[in-house]
Amino acid sequence: MCRWLGYVGAPIHPRELMHDPERSLIEQSRRHATDMALPNGDGTGLGWYANREEPALFRTTAPAWGDENLLELATEISTPLFLAHVRAGTGAPVQQTNCHPFRYRNWLFVHNGYINRYPDLRRRLLLAVRPDLFGNIQGSTDSELMFHLALTFGLQEDPLRGLEAMAGFVEACASEAEIPDPLQMTIGLTDGRTLHAARYASAPVVNSLFVSEDVESLRALYPEREGLAHFADDARVVVSEPLVHLPGMWREIPAGTALSVGFSVEARPFNPRLPDALPAAS
Amino acid sequence: MCRWLGYVGAPIHPRELMHDPERSLIEQSRRHATDMALPNGDGTGLGWYANREEPALFRTTAPAWGDENLLELATEISTPLFLAHVRAGTGAPVQQTNCHPFRYRNWLFVHNGYINRYPDLRRRLLLAVRPDLFGNIQGSTDSELMFHLALTFGLQEDPLRGLEAMAGFVEACASEAEIPDPLQMTIGLTDGRTLHAARYASAPVVNSLFVSEDVESLRALYPEREGLAHFADDARVVVSEPLVHLPGMWREIPAGTALSVGFSVEARPFNPRLPDALPAAS
Amino acid sequence: MCRWLGYVGAPIHPRELMHDPERSLIEQSRRHATDMALPNGDGTGLGWYANREEPALFRTTAPAWGDENLLELATEISTPLFLAHVRAGTGAPVQQTNCHPFRYRNWLFVHNGYINRYPDLRRRLLLAVRPDLFGNIQGSTDSELMFHLALTFGLQEDPLRGLEAMAGFVEACASEAEIPDPLQMTIGLTDGRTLHAARYASAPVVNSLFVSEDVESLRALYPEREGLAHFADDARVVVSEPLVHLPGMWREIPAGTALSVGFSVEARPFNPRLPDALPAAS
Amino acid sequence: MCRWLGYVGAPIHPRELMHDPERSLIEQSRRHATDMALPNGDGTGLGWYANREEPALFRTTAPAWGDENLLELATEISTPLFLAHVRAGTGAPVQQTNCHPFRYRNWLFVHNGYINRYPDLRRRLLLAVRPDLFGNIQGSTDSELMFHLALTFGLQEDPLRGLEAMAGFVEACASEAEIPDPLQMTIGLTDGRTLHAARYASAPVVNSLFVSEDVESLRALYPEREGLAHFADDARVVVSEPLVHLPGMWREIPAGTALSVGFSVEARPFNPRLPDALPAAS
C-alpha cells in the first residue's frame, strides 16, 4: 500500500506537509499505523509546479525518511500545487522509473493500489495504449500503465471520464481473463491547475482517501498550531491517510467518488465505464 | 534498532536463514513486530567466509527486502560461517560505508544498539583509536568506531576482553562528559573460526539476543520442517530476534553475557572494564 | 558503446580478467581508448555459473570502477563460465533492470550495440515477443528485447539460428518503417555449457570482437606473466576489446561471424534471416 | 581530477551553464578532453542560494550525465549564485557525503585536487579541526577536511586568509611527515554574496582555473549566441575548464592567485602561511 499527498493553494514549502506534521507523509512511510503491514520504503517522488507549465520531478529509490535531497528540496522550493508519493512495491522492481508521480506533458499522476494479477494482464493492457503515448512509458508498474490507459481514453479532455474509462477497461480485461477483484485505487491527478482525486475499488474494501476541510474553520479551532496559520483560505490537501488526527479536520472521500479541487471542491460519483472506442485485443 | 544474524556450522546457503524462514531476517527488516517502531531499511550487509582467510563482504544502502543482488548472492554462495545485518540508522547517513558488517583483516563485526549522544563523544573516541587502525575506518557510525576501539584494546588477542575494554572505555568517556546510559549493544564478532556474541547495556533495558538450541533436538521435535533437516549437528545460529517461534528452539542470552560458539557454545559474564593502557584524552 | 567479456574454461576468479589485467574490462570502462567517446559508466553486471543449473546475477547501476561489491564478488567466487558487461547507455534509463547480462532460465545474454531509432520500433518489436516470455522482460533496453525476440524465434533449440532470426526480424521491421542501418551488435550468449558469440551490423562499420588464441602458446610466449600461467588448456576469453596488447594473443572475429566456444572453438557465418513464423504486426 | 563551476550574477537556471553549453560541465564529466585520464563519474553536486540565507544542496553518487533529478532541478530552479561539481574520486568511497559542495551554515565549498598521501596525514589533520566544527564533517574526503581546516583558521572572518592558513598548515604537516608536493587545489567558496576562487599547488603543475571576461564584450562578439544574450552585465562564471572555446571569453587565473567575484572581480596573490595559532600535534 502506497501513500500519497496532493496540495493546492497559495505557495508553500512541501516540507510543511511532507516532513513537519506529527503524522507527515514521510513519517507515515516508516512509522507503522496499526493497520499497516509494510513500510513505504520502495521509492519516493515529488512533482511540483512553479516556474513552468510543465511540472518538475524529483524521484528516488531511496526510502523517503533518509533521503537528504528530498528534505533539501522540500525545504527550498515553494509551490502552489504538488503531488508527493511514497511507494510500497507490489512486484515491480525498485527503480526510479517505477516511482510516482508519473508525468505526461503538463500532467502528473500518483496511485495507491494495484491491478490484481497484473503480470497476467500487462501485455493485454500495454497493447491498448495509444502508440504515440507508448514511448512515454519508462517503467514497469501497473500504476504508470493505468495513467497511460487513461490518457489513451481521453484524460486530457475530461480527466475523470478518462479515469473511469481506464477503470472500466481494466475490469473488462480482467473479466475476460476471469481475474477477480481487478482494481484497487486511489488516484491523484493534476494538469497544473485543478487537483483531481478518485477513490474506487472493484471489491468492497477500498483504500482510504481524505480531503482537508476548509482552512478557516481549522484556524479558529487550532489557533496555537502555527503550521496551519499561514495556509491561505483556499488551500486544500488530499491525503491517503490523515497527517494529524484532529476532529473536524479531514473529510473522508467516500468509495466510488471523484473529487476536483480548485477554488472549490466538487465531488461526483466515480463510475467505471468502457471507453467509447475499445482497443483491439490483437 | 538494527537486527543481525550469525551462523556457524556446516556450509549452507545464507538465504536458508536470511530469506526463507517465516520470520527471516529480511522479513523482520520490514514486517514490524509489535515492539518495533521503525523498519530496518537503512542498509544491509552480508559477510561470509568461503575460499579465503579473509571474509567477503556485500553491503548496500538499499533496503534488504527489495535487493535482488542480496537474494542472488544468498542463494548462490555456500558458507560455514557468516554474519548478516539489517540497519535502522540512528543518525549517521545511509551509505555503504555505514553498513555492517565491518571488516578488519580476517575479522567481521556487527552491532545492534548505539552510543548515547554519540556526536558529543565521537571526537574523543576517535582519538583513542590506534593510529595504524585509523585508516580502516571508512564510515561515520558509532558501531564501526566501537569495533576499532575494541581492536585498539586487544580484540585480536582476546576478543571478549577487547569488547569489554571498549565498553569500559566508552562508559568512562561518557561518565567524564556526564552522559547517562552510554551504551546499548548486542555484538556479533568472528575471526573466521569462532563466532562471538555479547549482550550488554549500561541501563536496565537491553536489546534481545538468542542462540539456537542443539539441532538434534530440533530435528526430533520438528521432523516435518525440511528446512531444518539438513543442518549439521554442530550448526548454531545467533539472532537478535527469533526466526521462527518454536518452543525450545531458542535460548535467550542473558544481559551481561558473552558467548563463544565454535564446536561448542561457551557462555561467560560480560564485564566492561577499562583498558590496561588508557589512551590520552589529548 | 558497451563492453563485455565472456570466459569459459577451468574455474577462475572473475577478477583475474575483470580487474587485474593491464586493460581489464573495468579499466576499459573508464580509461578511454583513443577511439572511445564515452565512459561505460551506466551500470555493470556479472552473471556466472557455479553451484546451480541457473546462473547467478549481480547487476548494479554504479560505475564498475568504483563498485566495492563487484570487486568483492569477483575476488571471492570461482566459476568456469561467466559473462561480464559494462554499459554506456544509448537512451534507456540507468537502472538495474537495464543492466546486462539478461537471464532466462539457464541462459545469459550480453550485447554491445543498438537498434537504430529504437523508440520508433520498440512497440512493434515488443508485440512480437511470445506472450509467455513477455513477463520476463523487466527493463526497457533494446538489448533485453533482442534477447527475448531471439528466445521467441527458437534460441533455446538453436542459439545461433535464434539470433539470426532476431536480426532478420529487426531488419525487416526497420525496413518497413524505412529506418536505415537498423542493427549494430556483438552478442555473448550461453546456456551454461557453451559460450556463443556473434558479430554483426547492418552497416559496414561493426563493433569489434576478439577471442583468445590457445592458452598453450600464450604460456610459452609469456612465461613471466603469472596471471596466465594457471589458466587451463581449454580456457577461452571472448572480449569486445583486448585486455592486454600482446602479439598473437587475440584473434579478431570477422564481421558477420558467429562463434561457439566449448571444448573447441567453432566459427560459422552469421546470416540474419526471417523467422519461420513471422509474428503478426497486429 | 574533479571539475567545478561557480556562477554569480542575475538569476539563471543552472542548466544554462551545467547542461546546455557545447562543453558544459556535465558534458565535460564524461566526454574526455585530450588531457583527461578519467571521467568524473564518482558523484555530482549542486549548491544554490535562492529563498534562504542558507544554500540548498543536491548531491548524488550517480554520474552527472545520467541523473534525471539533476537535470530537472537545474532546469526548474532559478538562482543568482551557485556552485556545481563533478567528482573523480582519488581514494575516498563513492558516497553522497563525499560529494561536493560541502556546506557549513551559509557557506559552500568545492575543490579540485588532492592532498598527497592523504591517508598518512588524515588523522593529524582531523585532530586540528576545531572541536565544535568536528560534527559537521560527514564524509571522508581530503576536500571536506580542507574546508573544515580553513573554517578552523578563520575562513568566516577572512575567507582567503582562512584558505591560505589551511594550505600552510597542510604543507607544514606534510613537511613534518616528509611527504613531497602535498597540495594540489583549485577551490570555489562562497558565503552567498561573494564568490571566491583560489588556484594553487605546492608543485609546479597546477590544475587549471578560468573566469569569464565581461559579458558586454561577449554580447558584442557573439550576438548570435542566444544563450549568452540574457546574462546580466555583472554575471561571472568561474570554471575549472572553459565551457566553450571562444577567443576572448575566458581569462586564465594564474597559479598562486585568489579571486573574489562580486560586483567586480578582484585578484590577489595566494600565499599559504601558517595559522596564527597552530593546533597541537597531540
Side-chain angles (χ1 to χ4, degrees):
Chain A
M1 208 175 79
C2 304
R3 312 228 163 190
W4 61 270
L5 178 161
Y7 171 82
V8 59
I12 64 167
H13 302 297
R15 75 170 286 166
E16 298 177 58
L17 295 173
M18 290 178 71
H19 294 80
D20 295 343
E22 178 193 329
R23 288 283 301 159
S24 73
L25 187 71
I26 303 307
E27 205 46 35
Q28 285 181 32
S29 73
R30 64 170 175 172
R31 201 171 291 272
H32 284 202
T34 46
D35 64 335
M36 183 187 178
L38 297 174
N40 298 105
D42 299 330
T44 189
L46 171 65
W48 75 99
Y49 299 82
N51 302 314
R52 299 171 300 148
E53 183 83 357
E54 187 172 308
L57 269 189
F58 173 82
R59 302 191 297 177
T60 175
T61 57
W65 60 79
D67 196 76
E68 296 284 343
N69 289 325
L70 181 66
L71 177 57
E72 288 284 320
L73 210 55
T75 302
E76 175 61 30
I77 62 171
S78 181
T79 166
L81 178 48
F82 69 89
L83 280 169
H85 187 275
V86 288
R87 182 172 178 240
T90 54
V94 178
Q95 58 191 23
Q96 201 171 313
T97 55
N98 285 348
C99 294
H100 308 223
F102 301 103
R103 178 174 62 188
Y104 179 70
R105 298 189 177 166
N106 60 313
W107 291 85
L108 285 179
F109 175 98
V110 293
H111 169 228
N112 171 22
Y114 55 82
I115 293 175
N116 194 19
R117 287 175 46 195
Y118 173 55
D120 296 335
L121 287 172
R122 188 179 172 214
R123 188 173 182 280
R124 174 73 184 91
L125 298 175
L126 206 52
L127 292 192
V129 172
R130 226 172 57 206
D132 68 291
L133 293 166
F134 196 83
N136 195 57
I137 299 180
Q138 297 182 301
S140 54
T141 58
D142 47 4
S143 305
E144 190 185 22
L145 186 41
M146 287 164 68
F147 179 34
H148 287 81
L149 285 171
L151 284 165
T152 297
F153 300 145
L155 176 146
Q156 289 164 285
E157 288 71 45
D158 186 338
L160 296 181
R161 285 296 295 267
L163 292 180
E164 286 175 332
M166 174 275 289
F169 181 68
V170 169
E171 292 186 333
C173 291
S175 167
E176 239 173 65
E178 299 184 358
I179 293 172
D181 305 341
L183 202 55
Q184 174 67 255
M185 63 175 237
T186 69
I187 281 174
L189 175 73
T190 179
D191 61 352
R193 280 175 295 272
T194 306
L195 175 62
H196 305 281
R199 183 184 178 205
Y200 176 78
S202 314
V205 179
V206 193
N207 289 345
S208 65
L209 196 62
F210 298 84
V211 62
S212 64
E213 290 289 358
D214 67 285
V215 169
E216 199 54 59
S217 69
L218 286 171
R219 288 214 201 90
L221 275 168
Y222 308 98
E224 77 286 1
R225 289 188 175 257
E226 235 182 286
L228 299 169
H230 83 286
F231 284 117
D233 289 4
D234 57 351
R236 296 281 176 173
V237 182
V238 179
V239 283
S240 50
E241 189 184 81
L243 302 184
V244 279
H245 290 293
L246 296 179
M249 180 154 186
W250 303 101
R251 186 192 345 158
E252 187 167 7
I253 300 174
T257 303
L259 224 62
S260 295
V261 189
F263 287 100
S264 61
V265 180
E266 282 167 41
R268 74 158 180 75
F270 184 86
N271 294 316
R273 62 185 89 191
L274 284 180
D276 300 333
L278 204 59
S282 74
Chain B
M1 207 174 82
C2 304
R3 313 227 164 191
W4 62 269
L5 179 160
Y7 170 83
V8 59
I12 63 166
H13 302 298
R15 75 169 287 166
E16 298 176 59
L17 295 173
M18 290 178 71
H19 294 80
D20 294 344
E22 177 193 329
R23 288 283 302 160
S24 73
L25 187 71
I26 304 307
E27 202 48 34
Q28 284 181 32
S29 74
R30 65 170 174 173
R31 201 172 291 272
H32 284 201
T34 45
D35 64 336
M36 182 187 181
L38 297 174
N40 298 106
D42 298 330
T44 189
L46 171 65
W48 74 100
Y49 300 83
N51 302 315
R52 298 171 300 148
E53 182 84 357
E54 186 171 308
L57 269 189
F58 173 83
R59 302 192 296 178
T60 174
T61 57
W65 61 79
D67 195 78
E68 297 282 344
N69 289 325
L70 181 66
L71 178 57
E72 289 284 321
L73 210 55
T75 303
E76 176 60 29
I77 63 171
S78 181
T79 167
L81 178 48
F82 69 89
L83 281 169
H85 188 275
V86 289
R87 182 172 178 241
T90 55
V94 177
Q95 59 192 23
Q96 201 171 313
T97 55
N98 284 347
C99 294
H100 309 224
F102 301 102
R103 176 174 63 188
Y104 178 72
R105 297 191 177 164
N106 60 313
W107 292 84
L108 285 179
F109 176 98
V110 294
H111 170 228
N112 171 23
Y114 55 83
I115 293 175
N116 194 18
R117 288 177 42 198
Y118 173 55
D120 295 336
L121 287 172
R122 189 179 171 215
R123 187 172 182 280
R124 174 74 185 92
L125 298 175
L126 206 52
L127 292 191
V129 172
R130 224 174 56 208
D132 68 290
L133 293 165
F134 195 83
N136 196 55
I137 300 180
Q138 299 181 301
S140 55
T141 58
D142 47 4
S143 305
E144 189 185 24
L145 186 41
M146 288 164 67
F147 179 33
H148 286 79
L149 285 171
L151 284 164
T152 296
F153 301 143
L155 177 146
Q156 288 165 285
E157 289 70 46
D158 186 336
L160 297 180
R161 283 297 294 266
L163 293 180
E164 286 174 332
M166 173 274 291
F169 181 68
V170 169
E171 292 185 333
C173 291
S175 168
E176 236 173 69
E178 300 185 356
I179 293 173
D181 304 342
L183 203 55
Q184 174 67 256
M185 62 174 239
T186 69
I187 282 175
L189 175 72
T190 180
D191 62 352
R193 280 174 295 273
T194 306
L195 177 61
H196 305 283
R199 182 184 180 206
Y200 176 76
S202 314
V205 179
V206 193
N207 290 344
S208 65
L209 196 62
F210 298 84
V211 63
S212 63
E213 292 287 359
D214 66 286
V215 169
E216 199 54 58
S217 71
L218 287 172
R219 288 215 201 88
L221 275 167
Y222 309 97
E224 78 286 1
R225 289 187 174 256
E226 235 183 286
L228 300 169
H230 82 288
F231 284 116
D233 288 5
D234 58 351
R236 294 282 173 172
V237 182
V238 178
V239 283
S240 50
E241 188 183 82
L243 302 183
V244 279
H245 290 292
L246 297 178
M249 180 155 187
W250 302 101
R251 183 190 350 154
E252 187 166 8
I253 300 174
T257 302
L259 223 63
S260 294
V261 190
F263 287 100
S264 62
V265 179
E266 282 166 41
R268 74 155 179 79
F270 183 86
N271 294 317
R273 64 185 88 191
L274 284 179
D276 300 333
L278 203 61
S282 70
Chain C
M1 207 174 83
C2 304
R3 314 228 163 190
W4 61 270
L5 179 158
Y7 170 83
V8 59
I12 63 165
H13 303 296
R15 76 170 286 167
E16 298 176 59
L17 295 174
M18 290 177 70
H19 294 78
D20 294 343
E22 178 192 329
R23 288 285 301 161
S24 73
L25 187 70
I26 303 307
E27 205 46 35
Q28 285 181 31
S29 73
R30 63 169 174 171
R31 203 172 288 272
H32 285 200
T34 45
D35 64 336
M36 184 189 179
L38 297 174
N40 299 105
D42 299 330
T44 189
L46 171 65
W48 75 99
Y49 299 82
N51 301 314
R52 299 171 300 147
E53 182 84 359
E54 186 171 310
L57 267 190
F58 173 82
R59 302 191 296 178
T60 175
T61 57
W65 60 79
D67 196 78
E68 297 283 344
N69 289 325
L70 181 66
L71 177 58
E72 288 284 321
L73 210 54
T75 303
E76 176 61 30
I77 62 171
S78 182
T79 167
L81 179 48
F82 69 89
L83 280 169
H85 187 274
V86 289
R87 183 174 178 240
T90 55
V94 177
Q95 58 192 22
Q96 202 170 312
T97 54
N98 284 348
C99 294
H100 308 222
F102 301 102
R103 177 175 62 188
Y104 179 72
R105 297 189 177 163
N106 61 313
W107 292 84
L108 285 179
F109 175 98
V110 293
H111 170 228
N112 171 23
Y114 55 81
I115 293 176
N116 194 19
R117 287 176 45 196
Y118 173 54
D120 297 334
L121 287 172
R122 188 178 172 214
R123 186 173 184 280
R124 174 73 185 92
L125 297 175
L126 205 53
L127 292 191
V129 172
R130 225 172 58 205
D132 69 290
L133 293 165
F134 195 83
N136 195 56
I137 299 180
Q138 298 181 301
S140 54
T141 58
D142 46 5
S143 306
E144 190 184 23
L145 186 41
M146 287 164 67
F147 179 33
H148 286 80
L149 285 170
L151 284 163
T152 297
F153 301 143
L155 175 147
Q156 288 165 284
E157 288 70 45
D158 186 338
L160 296 181
R161 284 296 293 267
L163 292 181
E164 287 174 331
M166 173 275 290
F169 181 67
V170 169
E171 292 186 332
C173 291
S175 167
E176 238 173 65
E178 299 184 357
I179 294 173
D181 305 340
L183 203 55
Q184 173 67 257
M185 63 175 238
T186 70
I187 282 174
L189 176 72
T190 179
D191 61 352
R193 279 174 296 273
T194 306
L195 175 62
H196 305 282
R199 183 183 180 206
Y200 176 77
S202 314
V205 179
V206 193
N207 290 342
S208 64
L209 196 61
F210 298 85
V211 63
S212 63
E213 290 289 358
D214 67 285
V215 169
E216 200 54 58
S217 69
L218 286 171
R219 288 213 201 90
L221 275 167
Y222 309 97
E224 78 287 359
R225 291 191 172 254
E226 234 183 286
L228 299 169
H230 82 287
F231 286 116
D233 289 4
D234 57 352
R236 295 282 175 172
V237 182
V238 179
V239 284
S240 48
E241 188 183 82
L243 302 183
V244 278
H245 290 292
L246 297 178
M249 180 155 188
W250 303 100
R251 184 192 346 157
E252 187 166 9
I253 300 174
T257 303
L259 223 64
S260 295
V261 189
F263 288 101
S264 61
V265 180
E266 282 166 42
R268 74 157 179 76
F270 184 85
N271 293 316
R273 63 184 89 192
L274 283 179
D276 299 334
L278 203 60
S282 71
Chain D
M1 208 175 80
C2 305
R3 312 228 164 191
W4 61 270
L5 180 159
Y7 171 83
V8 59
I12 64 165
H13 302 297
R15 75 169 287 167
E16 298 176 59
L17 295 173
M18 290 178 69
H19 293 79
D20 295 344
E22 179 193 328
R23 289 283 300 161
S24 73
L25 187 71
I26 304 308
E27 203 48 33
Q28 284 180 33
S29 73
R30 64 170 175 172
R31 202 171 291 273
H32 284 203
T34 45
D35 63 336
M36 183 187 180
L38 297 174
N40 299 104
D42 298 330
T44 189
L46 171 65
W48 74 100
Y49 299 83
N51 302 314
R52 298 171 301 147
E53 182 83 358
E54 186 170 308
L57 268 190
F58 172 83
R59 302 192 296 179
T60 174
T61 57
W65 60 80
D67 196 78
E68 296 283 344
N69 289 325
L70 181 65
L71 178 57
E72 289 284 322
L73 211 54
T75 303
E76 177 60 29
I77 62 171
S78 181
T79 167
L81 178 49
F82 69 90
L83 280 169
H85 187 275
V86 289
R87 183 173 178 240
T90 55
V94 177
Q95 58 192 24
Q96 202 169 313
T97 55
N98 285 347
C99 294
H100 308 222
F102 300 103
R103 177 174 62 188
Y104 179 70
R105 297 193 178 161
N106 61 312
W107 292 84
L108 285 178
F109 175 98
V110 294
H111 170 227
N112 170 24
Y114 55 81
I115 293 176
N116 194 20
R117 288 176 43 198
Y118 172 56
D120 296 335
L121 286 173
R122 188 178 171 215
R123 188 173 181 280
R124 174 72 184 94
L125 299 176
L126 206 52
L127 291 191
V129 172
R130 224 173 57 207
D132 68 290
L133 293 166
F134 196 83
N136 195 57
I137 299 180
Q138 299 182 302
S140 54
T141 57
D142 47 5
S143 306
E144 189 185 23
L145 187 41
M146 288 163 68
F147 179 33
H148 287 80
L149 285 171
L151 284 164
T152 296
F153 300 144
L155 176 146
Q156 288 165 285
E157 288 70 47
D158 186 337
L160 297 180
R161 284 296 294 266
L163 293 180
E164 285 174 332
M166 173 275 290
F169 181 67
V170 169
E171 292 186 332
C173 292
S175 168
E176 238 172 66
E178 300 185 357
I179 294 172
D181 304 341
L183 203 55
Q184 175 65 258
M185 62 174 239
T186 69
I187 282 175
L189 175 72
T190 180
D191 61 353
R193 280 174 295 273
T194 305
L195 176 63
H196 305 282
R199 182 183 180 207
Y200 176 77
S202 314
V205 178
V206 193
N207 290 343
S208 64
L209 196 62
F210 298 84
V211 62
S212 62
E213 291 287 359
D214 67 285
V215 169
E216 199 54 56
S217 69
L218 287 171
R219 289 215 200 89
L221 275 167
Y222 308 98
E224 77 286 0
R225 289 190 173 254
E226 235 183 286
L228 299 170
H230 82 288
F231 285 116
D233 288 5
D234 58 351
R236 294 282 175 173
V237 182
V238 178
V239 284
S240 49
E241 188 183 82
L243 303 182
V244 279
H245 290 292
L246 297 178
M249 179 154 189
W250 303 101
R251 183 190 351 154
E252 188 167 8
I253 300 174
T257 303
L259 224 63
S260 294
V261 189
F263 287 101
S264 61
V265 180
E266 282 166 42
R268 74 158 180 76
F270 183 86
N271 293 317
R273 64 186 87 190
L274 283 179
D276 300 332
L278 203 61
S282 72

